[in-house]
Amino acid sequence: MVRLLSQKVGEQTDRPLMQLLVLKYILVLDIHSQAVIAERLLIDAPAVSRLVDRLEEDGLVERRAGENRRCVRLEATDAGRREFQALERATEWLDEEARAQLSPGEFEELSRLLEKLQGGLLLRLASPPPGNNPCATARKDE
């Protein structure tokens, strides 16, 4: 499915899928930290930094001051929002193609199971070991 999605995106933009996924995390999932994006994409921090560098060079993302000096907050620009539409259109196409392969009941069941799986995995990612995120705000009771 990733190959199909990449091909469909490639029909609309030369931008690599991974860069578009960074835009998705910022715009749709409201994730503005490079460290969290790296964790979610299952890649290392330097790889995300290179992706964000390129997006910033191309005027699609801005780095802004974060909660403390060691952190930055990523924000998509209007150009980034327009570029992200290529991924949205490709995802909508892939969704339609998947629906054509399954009955409505099968598709609903698949969607339910995928949401359950994703929710469980995201819960695991939401509670990293203490001290690993320099951008995290300390709790008052610590």
Side-chain angles (χ1 to χ4, degrees), residues 2-61:
V2 173
R3 175 177 256 169
L4 283 173
L5 186 61
S6 294
Q7 287 175 345
K8 200 64 174 175
V9 165
E11 294 173 6
Q12 302 171 62
T13 180
D14 292 331
R15 184 130 341 252
L17 181 59
M18 289 297 279
Q19 289 181 15
L20 295 173
L21 289 175
V22 170
L23 289 172
K24 175 185 177 181
Y25 282 111
I26 296 168
L27 291 167
V28 177
L29 302 176
D30 201 32
I31 297 173
H32 301 274
S33 158
Q34 285 185 201
V36 176
I37 291 172
E39 185 177 272
R40 297 287 174 91
L41 288 176
L42 303 175
I43 59 177
D44 61 18
V48 170
S49 185
R50 289 188 297 273
L51 289 168
V52 172
D53 287 346
R54 183 57 192 260
L55 290 168
E56 186 176 37
E57 288 170 16
D58 294 347
L60 304 178
V61 166

Side-chain angles (χ1 to χ4, degrees), residues 39-123:
E39 185 177 272
R40 297 287 174 91
L41 288 176
L42 303 175
I43 59 177
D44 61 18
V48 170
S49 185
R50 289 188 297 273
L51 289 168
V52 172
D53 287 346
R54 183 57 192 260
L55 290 168
E56 186 176 37
E57 288 170 16
D58 294 347
L60 304 178
V61 166
E62 293 177 350
R63 287 181 167 109
R64 297 188 180 157
E67 294 179 14
N68 63 51
R69 293 183 318 163
R70 293 172 25 172
C71 301
V72 295
R73 180 177 170 84
L74 301 175
E75 295 291 342
T77 63
D78 289 340
R81 285 181 187 83
R82 286 190 300 275
E83 190 72 14
F84 172 69
Q85 290 175 356
L87 179 60
E88 284 185 314
R89 286 188 295 269
T91 303
E92 288 168 4
W93 172 85
L94 186 59
D95 185 60
E96 289 172 15
E97 291 297 310
R99 285 178 187 272
Q101 304 304 313
L102 302 170
S103 71
E106 289 171 330
F107 190 82
E108 284 181 32
E109 180 67 7
L110 176 62
S111 295
R112 185 188 68 75
L113 291 171
L114 288 173
E115 286 176 20
K116 181 178 181 180
L117 179 62
Q118 183 180 23
L121 293 174
L122 287 177
L123 281 175

